[in-house]
PDB file of all heavy atoms in Angstrom:
ATOM      1  N   GLY V   1     -16.496  -1.111 -18.025  1.00 93.00           N
ATOM      2  CA  GLY V   1     -17.901  -1.531 -17.852  1.00 93.00           C
ATOM      3  C   GLY V   1     -18.357  -1.239 -16.480  1.00 93.00           C
ATOM      4  O   GLY V   1     -19.403  -0.617 -16.230  1.00 93.00           O
ATOM      5  N   ALA V   2     -17.525  -1.655 -15.442  1.00 91.00           N
ATOM      6  CA  ALA V   2     -17.950  -1.367 -14.016  1.00 91.00           C
ATOM      7  C   ALA V   2     -17.790   0.115 -13.686  1.00 91.00           C
ATOM      8  O   ALA V   2     -18.689   0.665 -12.946  1.00 91.00           O
ATOM      9  CB  ALA V   2     -16.974  -2.190 -13.151  1.00 91.00           C
ATOM     10  N   GLY V   3     -16.751   0.835 -14.195  1.00 89.00           N
ATOM     11  CA  GLY V   3     -16.554   2.217 -13.777  1.00 89.00           C
ATOM     12  C   GLY V   3     -17.442   3.227 -14.521  1.00 89.00           C
ATOM     13  O   GLY V   3     -17.756   4.254 -13.986  1.00 89.00           O
ATOM     14  N   GLU V   4     -17.826   2.954 -15.820  1.00 91.00           N
ATOM     15  CA  GLU V   4     -18.457   3.970 -16.627  1.00 91.00           C
ATOM     16  C   GLU V   4     -19.905   3.605 -16.937  1.00 91.00           C
ATOM     17  O   GLU V   4     -20.655   4.433 -17.339  1.00 91.00           O
ATOM     18  CB  GLU V   4     -17.644   4.166 -17.851  1.00 91.00           C
ATOM     19  CG  GLU V   4     -16.249   4.820 -17.607  1.00 91.00           C
ATOM     20  CD  GLU V   4     -15.465   5.000 -18.923  1.00 91.00           C
ATOM     21  OE1 GLU V   4     -16.032   4.720 -20.057  1.00 91.00           O
ATOM     22  OE2 GLU V   4     -14.290   5.398 -18.770  1.00 91.00           O
ATOM     23  N   HIS V   5     -20.264   2.273 -16.908  1.00 92.00           N
ATOM     24  CA  HIS V   5     -21.567   1.847 -17.347  1.00 92.00           C
ATOM     25  C   HIS V   5     -22.300   1.039 -16.203  1.00 92.00           C
ATOM     26  O   HIS V   5     -23.355   0.501 -16.502  1.00 92.00           O
ATOM     27  CB  HIS V   5     -21.465   0.971 -18.623  1.00 92.00           C
ATOM     28  CG  HIS V   5     -20.748   1.701 -19.711  1.00 92.00           C
ATOM     29  ND1 HIS V   5     -21.454   2.675 -20.511  1.00 92.00           N
ATOM     30  CD2 HIS V   5     -19.479   1.613 -20.264  1.00 92.00           C
ATOM     31  CE1 HIS V   5     -20.623   3.104 -21.410  1.00 92.00           C
ATOM     32  NE2 HIS V   5     -19.415   2.530 -21.316  1.00 92.00           N
ATOM     33  N   ASP V   6     -21.807   1.012 -14.982  1.00 90.00           N
ATOM     34  CA  ASP V   6     -22.420   0.344 -13.888  1.00 90.00           C
ATOM     35  C   ASP V   6     -22.755  -1.099 -14.275  1.00 90.00           C
ATOM     36  O   ASP V   6     -23.847  -1.544 -13.954  1.00 90.00           O
ATOM     37  CB  ASP V   6     -23.628   1.136 -13.515  1.00 90.00           C
ATOM     38  CG  ASP V   6     -24.210   0.640 -12.132  1.00 90.00           C
ATOM     39  OD1 ASP V   6     -23.385   0.173 -11.375  1.00 90.00           O
ATOM     40  OD2 ASP V   6     -25.415   0.791 -11.839  1.00 90.00           O
ATOM     41  N   GLU V   7     -21.846  -1.807 -14.938  1.00 93.00           N
ATOM     42  CA  GLU V   7     -21.971  -3.186 -15.361  1.00 93.00           C
ATOM     43  C   GLU V   7     -20.918  -4.023 -14.582  1.00 93.00           C
ATOM     44  O   GLU V   7     -19.784  -4.061 -15.104  1.00 93.00           O
ATOM     45  CB  GLU V   7     -21.908  -3.293 -16.840  1.00 93.00           C
ATOM     46  CG  GLU V   7     -23.012  -2.645 -17.659  1.00 93.00           C
ATOM     47  CD  GLU V   7     -23.002  -2.863 -19.087  1.00 93.00           C
ATOM     48  OE1 GLU V   7     -22.119  -3.611 -19.512  1.00 93.00           O
ATOM     49  OE2 GLU V   7     -23.752  -2.254 -19.786  1.00 93.00           O
ATOM     50  N   PRO V   8     -21.260  -4.654 -13.406  1.00 92.00           N
ATOM     51  CA  PRO V   8     -20.187  -5.416 -12.868  1.00 92.00           C
ATOM     52  C   PRO V   8     -19.694  -6.578 -13.762  1.00 92.00           C
ATOM     53  O   PRO V   8     -20.384  -7.053 -14.661  1.00 92.00           O
ATOM     54  CB  PRO V   8     -21.036  -6.058 -11.702  1.00 92.00           C
ATOM     55  CG  PRO V   8     -22.126  -5.231 -11.503  1.00 92.00           C
ATOM     56  CD  PRO V   8     -22.542  -4.634 -12.784  1.00 92.00           C
ATOM     57  N   GLY V   9     -18.480  -7.040 -13.595  1.00 94.00           N
ATOM     58  CA  GLY V   9     -17.824  -7.993 -14.379  1.00 94.00           C
ATOM     59  C   GLY V   9     -17.134  -9.063 -13.654  1.00 94.00           C
ATOM     60  O   GLY V   9     -16.804  -8.849 -12.471  1.00 94.00           O
ATOM     61  N   ILE V  10     -16.786 -10.119 -14.274  1.00 94.00           N
ATOM     62  CA  ILE V  10     -15.991 -11.239 -13.711  1.00 94.00           C
ATOM     63  C   ILE V  10     -14.912 -11.586 -14.577  1.00 94.00           C
ATOM     64  O   ILE V  10     -15.080 -11.765 -15.817  1.00 94.00           O
ATOM     65  CB  ILE V  10     -16.963 -12.476 -13.503  1.00 94.00           C
ATOM     66  CG1 ILE V  10     -18.087 -12.210 -12.507  1.00 94.00           C
ATOM     67  CG2 ILE V  10     -16.091 -13.706 -13.046  1.00 94.00           C
ATOM     68  CD1 ILE V  10     -19.165 -13.285 -12.364  1.00 94.00           C
ATOM     69  N   LEU V  11     -13.725 -11.811 -14.008  1.00 93.00           N
ATOM     70  CA  LEU V  11     -12.609 -12.270 -14.713  1.00 93.00           C
ATOM     71  C   LEU V  11     -12.288 -13.704 -14.318  1.00 93.00           C
ATOM     72  O   LEU V  11     -12.154 -13.992 -13.128  1.00 93.00           O
ATOM     73  CB  LEU V  11     -11.266 -11.442 -14.501  1.00 93.00           C
ATOM     74  CG  LEU V  11     -10.041 -12.071 -15.133  1.00 93.00           C
ATOM     75  CD1 LEU V  11     -10.031 -11.860 -16.626  1.00 93.00           C
ATOM     76  CD2 LEU V  11      -8.824 -11.452 -14.485  1.00 93.00           C
ATOM     77  N   VAL V  12     -12.248 -14.630 -15.228  1.00 94.00           N
ATOM     78  CA  VAL V  12     -11.817 -15.971 -14.972  1.00 94.00           C
ATOM     79  C   VAL V  12     -10.432 -16.197 -15.430  1.00 94.00           C
ATOM     80  O   VAL V  12     -10.278 -16.221 -16.779  1.00 94.00           O
ATOM     81  CB  VAL V  12     -12.855 -17.061 -15.568  1.00 94.00           C
ATOM     82  CG1 VAL V  12     -12.440 -18.512 -15.166  1.00 94.00           C
ATOM     83  CG2 VAL V  12     -14.255 -16.694 -15.076  1.00 94.00           C
ATOM     84  N   ALA V  13      -9.388 -16.318 -14.599  1.00 92.00           N
ATOM     85  CA  ALA V  13      -8.057 -16.268 -14.993  1.00 92.00           C
ATOM     86  C   ALA V  13      -7.490 -17.688 -15.000  1.00 92.00           C
ATOM     87  O   ALA V  13      -7.512 -18.407 -13.991  1.00 92.00           O
ATOM     88  CB  ALA V  13      -7.185 -15.424 -14.084  1.00 92.00           C
ATOM     89  N   PHE V  14      -6.996 -18.193 -16.199  1.00 90.00           N
ATOM     90  CA  PHE V  14      -6.479 -19.573 -16.293  1.00 90.00           C
ATOM     91  C   PHE V  14      -5.055 -19.637 -16.296  1.00 90.00           C
ATOM     92  O   PHE V  14      -4.405 -20.637 -15.987  1.00 90.00           O
ATOM     93  CB  PHE V  14      -7.111 -20.236 -17.616  1.00 90.00           C
ATOM     94  CG  PHE V  14      -8.558 -20.457 -17.627  1.00 90.00           C
ATOM     95  CD1 PHE V  14      -9.345 -19.663 -18.433  1.00 90.00           C
ATOM     96  CD2 PHE V  14      -9.121 -21.331 -16.855  1.00 90.00           C
ATOM     97  CE1 PHE V  14     -10.717 -19.823 -18.502  1.00 90.00           C
ATOM     98  CE2 PHE V  14     -10.544 -21.554 -16.832  1.00 90.00           C
ATOM     99  CZ  PHE V  14     -11.290 -20.854 -17.719  1.00 90.00           C
ATOM    100  N   GLU V  15      -4.413 -18.575 -16.837  1.00 87.00           N
ATOM    101  CA  GLU V  15      -2.972 -18.566 -17.055  1.00 87.00           C
ATOM    102  C   GLU V  15      -2.176 -18.075 -15.900  1.00 87.00           C
ATOM    103  O   GLU V  15      -1.041 -18.466 -15.612  1.00 87.00           O
ATOM    104  CB  GLU V  15      -2.612 -17.907 -18.340  1.00 87.00           C
ATOM    105  CG  GLU V  15      -1.225 -18.126 -18.856  1.00 87.00           C
ATOM    106  CD  GLU V  15      -1.130 -17.769 -20.344  1.00 87.00           C
ATOM    107  OE1 GLU V  15      -1.923 -16.959 -20.812  1.00 87.00           O
ATOM    108  OE2 GLU V  15      -0.212 -18.309 -21.002  1.00 87.00           O
ATOM    109  N   GLU V  16      -2.737 -16.971 -15.171  1.00 86.00           N
ATOM    110  CA  GLU V  16      -1.948 -16.434 -14.026  1.00 86.00           C
ATOM    111  C   GLU V  16      -2.971 -16.332 -12.884  1.00 86.00           C
ATOM    112  O   GLU V  16      -4.112 -16.426 -13.027  1.00 86.00           O
ATOM    113  CB  GLU V  16      -1.598 -14.964 -14.409  1.00 86.00           C
ATOM    114  CG  GLU V  16      -0.624 -14.842 -15.551  1.00 86.00           C
ATOM    115  CD  GLU V  16      -0.225 -13.426 -15.851  1.00 86.00           C
ATOM    116  OE1 GLU V  16      -1.014 -12.632 -16.298  1.00 86.00           O
ATOM    117  OE2 GLU V  16       0.919 -13.013 -15.362  1.00 86.00           O
ATOM    118  N   SER V  17      -2.390 -16.255 -11.755  1.00 85.00           N
ATOM    119  CA  SER V  17      -3.197 -16.099 -10.511  1.00 85.00           C
ATOM    120  C   SER V  17      -3.958 -14.802 -10.472  1.00 85.00           C
ATOM    121  O   SER V  17      -3.560 -13.798 -11.155  1.00 85.00           O
ATOM    122  CB  SER V  17      -2.329 -16.188  -9.228  1.00 85.00           C
ATOM    123  OG  SER V  17      -1.493 -15.084  -9.093  1.00 85.00           O
ATOM    124  N   ALA V  18      -5.067 -14.798  -9.737  1.00 80.00           N
ATOM    125  CA  ALA V  18      -5.939 -13.583  -9.657  1.00 80.00           C
ATOM    126  C   ALA V  18      -5.169 -12.443  -9.173  1.00 80.00           C
ATOM    127  O   ALA V  18      -5.238 -11.358  -9.602  1.00 80.00           O
ATOM    128  CB  ALA V  18      -7.103 -13.918  -8.836  1.00 80.00           C
ATOM    129  N   VAL V  19      -4.290 -12.653  -8.107  1.00 82.00           N
ATOM    130  CA  VAL V  19      -3.503 -11.617  -7.488  1.00 82.00           C
ATOM    131  C   VAL V  19      -2.587 -10.988  -8.485  1.00 82.00           C
ATOM    132  O   VAL V  19      -2.386  -9.772  -8.587  1.00 82.00           O
ATOM    133  CB  VAL V  19      -2.733 -12.111  -6.304  1.00 82.00           C
ATOM    134  CG1 VAL V  19      -1.830 -11.041  -5.779  1.00 82.00           C
ATOM    135  CG2 VAL V  19      -3.704 -12.513  -5.132  1.00 82.00           C
ATOM    136  N   ARG V  20      -1.975 -11.890  -9.294  1.00 87.00           N
ATOM    137  CA  ARG V  20      -0.988 -11.427 -10.324  1.00 87.00           C
ATOM    138  C   ARG V  20      -1.648 -10.645 -11.482  1.00 87.00           C
ATOM    139  O   ARG V  20      -1.071  -9.601 -11.788  1.00 87.00           O
ATOM    140  CB  ARG V  20      -0.289 -12.613 -10.861  1.00 87.00           C
ATOM    141  CG  ARG V  20       0.917 -12.274 -11.768  1.00 87.00           C
ATOM    142  CD  ARG V  20       2.041 -11.698 -10.992  1.00 87.00           C
ATOM    143  NE  ARG V  20       3.114 -11.366 -11.775  1.00 87.00           N
ATOM    144  CZ  ARG V  20       4.208 -10.578 -11.399  1.00 87.00           C
ATOM    145  NH1 ARG V  20       4.118 -10.118 -10.243  1.00 87.00           N
ATOM    146  NH2 ARG V  20       5.141 -10.301 -12.214  1.00 87.00           N
ATOM    147  N   VAL V  21      -2.816 -11.124 -11.859  1.00 86.00           N
ATOM    148  CA  VAL V  21      -3.514 -10.389 -12.989  1.00 86.00           C
ATOM    149  C   VAL V  21      -3.843  -8.908 -12.483  1.00 86.00           C
ATOM    150  O   VAL V  21      -3.620  -7.944 -13.208  1.00 86.00           O
ATOM    151  CB  VAL V  21      -4.776 -11.066 -13.339  1.00 86.00           C
ATOM    152  CG1 VAL V  21      -5.673 -10.263 -14.278  1.00 86.00           C
ATOM    153  CG2 VAL V  21      -4.473 -12.488 -13.973  1.00 86.00           C
ATOM    154  N   VAL V  22      -4.384  -8.810 -11.280  1.00 84.00           N
ATOM    155  CA  VAL V  22      -4.768  -7.472 -10.770  1.00 84.00           C
ATOM    156  C   VAL V  22      -3.511  -6.657 -10.609  1.00 84.00           C
ATOM    157  O   VAL V  22      -3.426  -5.457 -10.951  1.00 84.00           O
ATOM    158  CB  VAL V  22      -5.474  -7.611  -9.427  1.00 84.00           C
ATOM    159  CG1 VAL V  22      -5.684  -6.221  -8.821  1.00 84.00           C
ATOM    160  CG2 VAL V  22      -6.838  -8.344  -9.723  1.00 84.00           C
ATOM    161  N   ALA V  23      -2.366  -7.251 -10.085  1.00 88.00           N
ATOM    162  CA  ALA V  23      -1.136  -6.416  -9.927  1.00 88.00           C
ATOM    163  C   ALA V  23      -0.626  -5.993 -11.214  1.00 88.00           C
ATOM    164  O   ALA V  23      -0.057  -4.800 -11.319  1.00 88.00           O
ATOM    165  CB  ALA V  23      -0.156  -7.319  -9.161  1.00 88.00           C
ATOM    166  N   ASN V  24      -0.791  -6.767 -12.268  1.00 90.00           N
ATOM    167  CA  ASN V  24      -0.222  -6.367 -13.651  1.00 90.00           C
ATOM    168  C   ASN V  24      -0.989  -5.173 -14.199  1.00 90.00           C
ATOM    169  O   ASN V  24      -0.465  -4.613 -15.119  1.00 90.00           O
ATOM    170  CB  ASN V  24      -0.324  -7.556 -14.535  1.00 90.00           C
ATOM    171  CG  ASN V  24       0.751  -8.642 -14.209  1.00 90.00           C
ATOM    172  OD1 ASN V  24       1.688  -8.370 -13.412  1.00 90.00           O
ATOM    173  ND2 ASN V  24       0.576  -9.767 -14.694  1.00 90.00           N
ATOM    174  N   THR V  25      -2.147  -4.889 -13.712  1.00 91.00           N
ATOM    175  CA  THR V  25      -2.936  -3.755 -14.235  1.00 91.00           C
ATOM    176  C   THR V  25      -2.662  -2.439 -13.471  1.00 91.00           C
ATOM    177  O   THR V  25      -3.217  -1.367 -13.749  1.00 91.00           O
ATOM    178  CB  THR V  25      -4.440  -4.003 -14.205  1.00 91.00           C
ATOM    179  OG1 THR V  25      -4.865  -4.170 -12.864  1.00 91.00           O
ATOM    180  CG2 THR V  25      -4.696  -5.298 -14.945  1.00 91.00           C
ATOM    181  N   ALA V  26      -1.763  -2.512 -12.474  1.00 90.00           N
ATOM    182  CA  ALA V  26      -1.555  -1.343 -11.568  1.00 90.00           C
ATOM    183  C   ALA V  26      -1.024  -0.053 -12.376  1.00 90.00           C
ATOM    184  O   ALA V  26      -1.250   1.039 -11.882  1.00 90.00           O
ATOM    185  CB  ALA V  26      -0.692  -1.730 -10.385  1.00 90.00           C
ATOM    186  N   GLY V  27      -0.371  -0.314 -13.449  1.00 91.00           N
ATOM    187  CA  GLY V  27       0.176   0.868 -14.235  1.00 91.00           C
ATOM    188  C   GLY V  27      -0.834   1.588 -15.075  1.00 91.00           C
ATOM    189  O   GLY V  27      -0.565   2.574 -15.615  1.00 91.00           O
ATOM    190  N   PHE V  28      -2.173   1.023 -15.080  1.00 93.00           N
ATOM    191  CA  PHE V  28      -3.097   1.681 -15.882  1.00 93.00           C
ATOM    192  C   PHE V  28      -4.041   2.625 -14.960  1.00 93.00           C
ATOM    193  O   PHE V  28      -4.224   2.344 -13.764  1.00 93.00           O
ATOM    194  CB  PHE V  28      -4.050   0.698 -16.578  1.00 93.00           C
ATOM    195  CG  PHE V  28      -3.292  -0.151 -17.539  1.00 93.00           C
ATOM    196  CD1 PHE V  28      -3.166  -1.552 -17.360  1.00 93.00           C
ATOM    197  CD2 PHE V  28      -2.678   0.382 -18.710  1.00 93.00           C
ATOM    198  CE1 PHE V  28      -2.500  -2.328 -18.249  1.00 93.00           C
ATOM    199  CE2 PHE V  28      -2.047  -0.418 -19.633  1.00 93.00           C
ATOM    200  CZ  PHE V  28      -1.882  -1.820 -19.382  1.00 93.00           C
ATOM    201  N   ASP V  29      -4.583   3.694 -15.585  1.00 91.00           N
ATOM    202  CA  ASP V  29      -5.449   4.574 -14.839  1.00 91.00           C
ATOM    203  C   ASP V  29      -6.639   3.880 -14.152  1.00 91.00           C
ATOM    204  O   ASP V  29      -7.065   4.284 -13.132  1.00 91.00           O
ATOM    205  CB  ASP V  29      -5.943   5.687 -15.762  1.00 91.00           C
ATOM    206  CG  ASP V  29      -4.854   6.520 -16.419  1.00 91.00           C
ATOM    207  OD1 ASP V  29      -3.766   6.502 -15.821  1.00 91.00           O
ATOM    208  OD2 ASP V  29      -5.170   7.139 -17.426  1.00 91.00           O
ATOM    209  N   TRP V  30      -7.008   2.801 -14.773  1.00 92.00           N
ATOM    210  CA  TRP V  30      -8.280   2.077 -14.316  1.00 92.00           C
ATOM    211  C   TRP V  30      -7.919   0.813 -13.505  1.00 92.00           C
ATOM    212  O   TRP V  30      -8.833   0.062 -13.092  1.00 92.00           O
ATOM    213  CB  TRP V  30      -9.135   1.710 -15.516  1.00 92.00           C
ATOM    214  CG  TRP V  30      -8.412   1.215 -16.654  1.00 92.00           C
ATOM    215  CD1 TRP V  30      -8.131   1.883 -17.840  1.00 92.00           C
ATOM    216  CD2 TRP V  30      -7.851  -0.162 -16.844  1.00 92.00           C
ATOM    217  NE1 TRP V  30      -7.415   1.143 -18.642  1.00 92.00           N
ATOM    218  CE2 TRP V  30      -7.343  -0.152 -18.156  1.00 92.00           C
ATOM    219  CE3 TRP V  30      -7.934  -1.335 -16.054  1.00 92.00           C
ATOM    220  CZ2 TRP V  30      -6.642  -1.275 -18.615  1.00 92.00           C
ATOM    221  CZ3 TRP V  30      -7.269  -2.449 -16.599  1.00 92.00           C
ATOM    222  CH2 TRP V  30      -6.683  -2.409 -17.847  1.00 92.00           C
ATOM    223  N   GLY V  31      -6.613   0.532 -13.302  1.00 89.00           N
ATOM    224  CA  GLY V  31      -6.172  -0.830 -12.837  1.00 89.00           C
ATOM    225  C   GLY V  31      -5.826  -0.793 -11.392  1.00 89.00           C
ATOM    226  O   GLY V  31      -6.119   0.024 -10.508  1.00 89.00           O
ATOM    227  N   GLY V  32      -5.116  -1.927 -10.970  1.00 85.00           N
ATOM    228  CA  GLY V  32      -4.642  -2.187  -9.679  1.00 85.00           C
ATOM    229  C   GLY V  32      -5.831  -2.497  -8.742  1.00 85.00           C
ATOM    230  O   GLY V  32      -6.760  -3.114  -9.047  1.00 85.00           O
ATOM    231  N   GLU V  33      -5.659  -2.128  -7.467  1.00 76.00           N
ATOM    232  CA  GLU V  33      -6.599  -2.401  -6.493  1.00 76.00           C
ATOM    233  C   GLU V  33      -8.015  -1.844  -6.720  1.00 76.00           C
ATOM    234  O   GLU V  33      -9.069  -2.310  -6.222  1.00 76.00           O
ATOM    235  CB  GLU V  33      -6.140  -1.956  -5.040  1.00 76.00           C
ATOM    236  CG  GLU V  33      -5.007  -2.784  -4.518  1.00 76.00           C
ATOM    237  CD  GLU V  33      -5.226  -4.154  -4.365  1.00 76.00           C
ATOM    238  OE1 GLU V  33      -6.379  -4.533  -3.913  1.00 76.00           O
ATOM    239  OE2 GLU V  33      -4.515  -5.059  -4.726  1.00 76.00           O
ATOM    240  N   ALA V  34      -8.077  -0.788  -7.565  1.00 71.00           N
ATOM    241  CA  ALA V  34      -9.344  -0.205  -7.862  1.00 71.00           C
ATOM    242  C   ALA V  34     -10.204  -1.032  -8.670  1.00 71.00           C
ATOM    243  O   ALA V  34     -11.375  -0.889  -8.791  1.00 71.00           O
ATOM    244  CB  ALA V  34      -9.062   1.108  -8.705  1.00 71.00           C
ATOM    245  N   LEU V  35      -9.616  -2.072  -9.261  1.00 76.00           N
ATOM    246  CA  LEU V  35     -10.398  -3.033 -10.039  1.00 76.00           C
ATOM    247  C   LEU V  35     -11.222  -3.978  -9.266  1.00 76.00           C
ATOM    248  O   LEU V  35     -12.329  -4.383  -9.642  1.00 76.00           O
ATOM    249  CB  LEU V  35      -9.427  -3.931 -10.826  1.00 76.00           C
ATOM    250  CG  LEU V  35      -8.982  -3.513 -12.140  1.00 76.00           C
ATOM    251  CD1 LEU V  35      -7.951  -4.473 -12.805  1.00 76.00           C
ATOM    252  CD2 LEU V  35     -10.169  -3.303 -13.172  1.00 76.00           C
ATOM    253  N   THR V  36     -10.828  -4.406  -8.064  1.00 67.00           N
ATOM    254  CA  THR V  36     -11.438  -5.394  -7.251  1.00 67.00           C
ATOM    255  C   THR V  36     -12.627  -4.799  -6.501  1.00 67.00           C
ATOM    256  O   THR V  36     -12.756  -3.635  -6.249  1.00 67.00           O
ATOM    257  CB  THR V  36     -10.482  -6.020  -6.329  1.00 67.00           C
ATOM    258  OG1 THR V  36     -10.113  -5.122  -5.408  1.00 67.00           O
ATOM    259  CG2 THR V  36      -9.260  -6.572  -7.101  1.00 67.00           C
ATOM    260  N   ALA V  37     -13.481  -5.664  -6.072  1.00 50.00           N
ATOM    261  CA  ALA V  37     -14.715  -5.281  -5.257  1.00 50.00           C
ATOM    262  C   ALA V  37     -14.276  -4.934  -3.827  1.00 50.00           C
ATOM    263  O   ALA V  37     -15.108  -4.467  -3.089  1.00 50.00           O
ATOM    264  CB  ALA V  37     -15.649  -6.437  -5.249  1.00 50.00           C
ATOM    265  N   ARG V  38     -12.996  -5.181  -3.472  1.00 47.00           N
ATOM    266  CA  ARG V  38     -12.640  -4.939  -2.058  1.00 47.00           C
ATOM    267  C   ARG V  38     -12.200  -3.547  -1.745  1.00 47.00           C
ATOM    268  O   ARG V  38     -12.126  -3.228  -0.589  1.00 47.00           O
ATOM    269  CB  ARG V  38     -11.450  -5.947  -1.627  1.00 47.00           C
ATOM    270  CG  ARG V  38     -11.961  -7.412  -1.714  1.00 47.00           C
ATOM    271  CD  ARG V  38     -10.782  -8.304  -1.180  1.00 47.00           C
ATOM    272  NE  ARG V  38      -9.636  -8.223  -2.033  1.00 47.00           N
ATOM    273  CZ  ARG V  38      -9.492  -9.033  -3.103  1.00 47.00           C
ATOM    274  NH1 ARG V  38     -10.435  -9.849  -3.421  1.00 47.00           N
ATOM    275  NH2 ARG V  38      -8.464  -8.993  -3.817  1.00 47.00           N
ATOM    276  N   GLY V  39     -11.950  -2.797  -2.741  1.00 40.00           N
ATOM    277  CA  GLY V  39     -11.523  -1.398  -2.536  1.00 40.00           C
ATOM    278  C   GLY V  39     -11.386  -0.579  -3.731  1.00 40.00           C
ATOM    279  O   GLY V  39     -11.429  -1.109  -4.897  1.00 40.00           O
ATOM    280  N   GLY V  40     -11.214   0.709  -3.535  1.00 40.00           N
ATOM    281  CA  GLY V  40     -11.110   1.630  -4.711  1.00 40.00           C
ATOM    282  C   GLY V  40     -12.460   2.188  -5.103  1.00 40.00           C
ATOM    283  O   GLY V  40     -13.521   1.697  -4.838  1.00 40.00           O
ATOM    284  N   PRO V  41     -12.371   3.126  -6.078  1.00 45.00           N
ATOM    285  CA  PRO V  41     -13.570   3.830  -6.549  1.00 45.00           C
ATOM    286  C   PRO V  41     -14.379   2.960  -7.558  1.00 45.00           C
ATOM    287  O   PRO V  41     -15.528   3.116  -7.764  1.00 45.00           O
ATOM    288  CB  PRO V  41     -13.041   5.062  -7.240  1.00 45.00           C
ATOM    289  CG  PRO V  41     -11.623   4.671  -7.663  1.00 45.00           C
ATOM    290  CD  PRO V  41     -11.146   3.792  -6.562  1.00 45.00           C
ATOM    291  N   VAL V  42     -13.723   1.935  -8.153  1.00 46.00           N
ATOM    292  CA  VAL V  42     -14.384   1.093  -9.163  1.00 46.00           C
ATOM    293  C   VAL V  42     -14.741  -0.236  -8.464  1.00 46.00           C
ATOM    294  O   VAL V  42     -13.909  -0.956  -8.100  1.00 46.00           O
ATOM    295  CB  VAL V  42     -13.546   0.769 -10.369  1.00 46.00           C
ATOM    296  CG1 VAL V  42     -14.226  -0.210 -11.300  1.00 46.00           C
ATOM    297  CG2 VAL V  42     -13.109   2.103 -11.104  1.00 46.00           C
ATOM    298  N   ARG V  43     -16.074  -0.342  -8.242  1.00 58.00           N
ATOM    299  CA  ARG V  43     -16.563  -1.548  -7.611  1.00 58.00           C
ATOM    300  C   ARG V  43     -17.294  -2.438  -8.639  1.00 58.00           C
ATOM    301  O   ARG V  43     -18.133  -1.860  -9.379  1.00 58.00           O
ATOM    302  CB  ARG V  43     -17.461  -1.259  -6.336  1.00 58.00           C
ATOM    303  CG  ARG V  43     -16.644  -0.468  -5.356  1.00 58.00           C
ATOM    304  CD  ARG V  43     -17.436  -0.238  -4.047  1.00 58.00           C
ATOM    305  NE  ARG V  43     -16.796   0.551  -3.049  1.00 58.00           N
ATOM    306  CZ  ARG V  43     -15.949   0.011  -2.180  1.00 58.00           C
ATOM    307  NH1 ARG V  43     -15.687  -1.266  -2.183  1.00 58.00           N
ATOM    308  NH2 ARG V  43     -15.324   0.860  -1.391  1.00 58.00           N
ATOM    309  N   GLY V  44     -17.115  -3.680  -8.623  1.00 80.00           N
ATOM    310  CA  GLY V  44     -17.821  -4.514  -9.581  1.00 80.00           C
ATOM    311  C   GLY V  44     -17.057  -5.352 -10.445  1.00 80.00           C
ATOM    312  O   GLY V  44     -17.631  -6.045 -11.363  1.00 80.00           O
ATOM    313  N   VAL V  45     -15.763  -5.434 -10.346  1.00 88.00           N
ATOM    314  CA  VAL V  45     -14.886  -6.352 -11.073  1.00 88.00           C
ATOM    315  C   VAL V  45     -14.431  -7.458 -10.080  1.00 88.00           C
ATOM    316  O   VAL V  45     -13.736  -7.184  -9.112  1.00 88.00           O
ATOM    317  CB  VAL V  45     -13.719  -5.726 -11.717  1.00 88.00           C
ATOM    318  CG1 VAL V  45     -12.808  -6.764 -12.500  1.00 88.00           C
ATOM    319  CG2 VAL V  45     -14.178  -4.676 -12.734  1.00 88.00           C
ATOM    320  N   HIS V  46     -14.758  -8.654 -10.320  1.00 90.00           N
ATOM    321  CA  HIS V  46     -14.544  -9.792  -9.517  1.00 90.00           C
ATOM    322  C   HIS V  46     -13.654 -10.767 -10.252  1.00 90.00           C
ATOM    323  O   HIS V  46     -13.913 -11.090 -11.350  1.00 90.00           O
ATOM    324  CB  HIS V  46     -15.780 -10.458  -8.952  1.00 90.00           C
ATOM    325  CG  HIS V  46     -16.680  -9.433  -8.261  1.00 90.00           C
ATOM    326  ND1 HIS V  46     -16.741  -9.290  -6.880  1.00 90.00           N
ATOM    327  CD2 HIS V  46     -17.608  -8.606  -8.809  1.00 90.00           C
ATOM    328  CE1 HIS V  46     -17.689  -8.348  -6.618  1.00 90.00           C
ATOM    329  NE2 HIS V  46     -18.202  -7.901  -7.746  1.00 90.00           N
ATOM    330  N   VAL V  47     -12.717 -11.360  -9.546  1.00 89.00           N
ATOM    331  CA  VAL V  47     -11.716 -12.248 -10.206  1.00 89.00           C
ATOM    332  C   VAL V  47     -11.868 -13.706  -9.587  1.00 89.00           C
ATOM    333  O   VAL V  47     -11.852 -13.868  -8.343  1.00 89.00           O
ATOM    334  CB  VAL V  47     -10.283 -11.825 -10.028  1.00 89.00           C
ATOM    335  CG1 VAL V  47      -9.303 -12.684 -10.724  1.00 89.00           C
ATOM    336  CG2 VAL V  47     -10.074 -10.384 -10.553  1.00 89.00           C
ATOM    337  N   ILE V  48     -11.986 -14.657 -10.468  1.00 91.00           N
ATOM    338  CA  ILE V  48     -12.072 -16.068 -10.112  1.00 91.00           C
ATOM    339  C   ILE V  48     -10.737 -16.723 -10.467  1.00 91.00           C
ATOM    340  O   ILE V  48     -10.365 -16.704 -11.717  1.00 91.00           O
ATOM    341  CB  ILE V  48     -13.279 -16.830 -10.763  1.00 91.00           C
ATOM    342  CG1 ILE V  48     -14.558 -16.314 -10.257  1.00 91.00           C
ATOM    343  CG2 ILE V  48     -13.216 -18.322 -10.515  1.00 91.00           C
ATOM    344  CD1 ILE V  48     -15.812 -16.885 -10.804  1.00 91.00           C
TER     345      ILE V  48
END
């Protein structure tokens, strides 16, 4: 949504920490640090 449709998003994580959730996506083409608003080409995914 953020990368292809310019629709920022929010993840509310109850089961794992925000850092862990983002780290677990690092193996995907769209994942890892690129997910967060702090860096990478995809801006607009924020984790609570």
Side-chain angles (χ1 to χ4, degrees):
E4 298 179 3
H5 301 284
D6 195 26
E7 296 184 4
I10 297 173
L11 172 75
V12 184
F14 295 108
E15 196 161 20
E16 295 181 288
S17 68
V19 172
R20 189 68 181 166
V21 170
V22 172
N24 288 344
T25 65
F28 299 115
D29 298 342
W30 42 261
E33 290 301 319
L35 273 174
T36 67
R38 294 186 294 275
V42 178
R43 299 184 182 275
V45 177
H46 305 262
V47 183
I48 295 177

